[in-house]
């Protein structure tokens, strides 16, 4: 991984926030400021170990997306072209897809 790629990942919202207030590129397995380790969610988001709920999909740590019908066959959760999944919760029904028309999830 290069520094430039890490900056690009952070700019795309893929950086993971730590409890200490700093953010880290997805390639870091521990916070560069406080050394708190990270964990990877099934949705591919990286989270601080002090959090037990994923910051992207809001599922509990250890949740298996394959067992949840709302994530099956979702091209945003598991893109067929191998690209990164949509970085926010969206399969709850509001139709948010990151486009200019529906950029953010509005479901609670």
């Amino acid at each position: 991984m290069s520094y430039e790629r890490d900056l690009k990942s952070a700019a795309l919202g893929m950086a993971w926030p730590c409890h200490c207030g700093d953010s880290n590129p997805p390639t870091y397995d521990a916070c560069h400021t406080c050394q708190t380790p990270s964990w990877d969610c099934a949705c591919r988001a990286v989270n601080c170990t002090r959090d037990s709920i994923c910051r992207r999909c809001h599922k509990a740590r250890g949740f298996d997306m394959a067992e949840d019908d709302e994530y099956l066959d979702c091209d945003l959760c598991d893109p067929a072209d191998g690209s990164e999944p949509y970085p926010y919760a969206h399969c709850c029904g509001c139709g948010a897809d990151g486009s200019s028309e529906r950029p953010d999830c509005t479901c609670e």
Side-chain angles (χ1 to χ4, degrees):
M1 287 287 145
S2 69
Y3 179 70
E4 291 81 16
R5 183 177 287 174
D6 289 344
L7 287 176
K8 183 179 178 183
S9 295
L12 293 172
M14 295 168 54
W16 57 274
C18 185
H19 70 92
C20 73
D22 210 345
S23 62
N24 302 277
T27 56
Y28 287 21
D29 60 359
C31 177
H32 65 274
T33 299
C34 70
Q35 300 305 307
T36 298
S38 66
W39 59 275
D40 296 332
C41 182
C43 74
R44 300 185 190 136
V46 183
N47 299 274
C48 174
T49 56
R50 297 206 29 195
D51 298 327
S52 60
I53 303 296
C54 177
R55 66 182 179 86
R56 178 187 292 166
C57 70
H58 307 290
K59 301 292 184 183
R61 185 175 181 179
F63 174 78
D64 184 359
M65 292 176 110
E67 296 176 2
D68 192 332
D69 291 340
E70 74 175 331
Y71 289 93
L72 294 178
D73 300 322
C74 175
D75 194 48
L76 294 175
C77 290
D78 189 17
D81 64 2
S83 63
E84 287 294 313
Y86 179 60
Y88 304 101
H90 60 274
C91 291
C92 44
C94 70
D97 59 6
S99 67
S100 60
E101 294 82 28
R102 294 175 290 182
D104 300 313
C105 179
T106 57
C107 301
E108 302 248 344

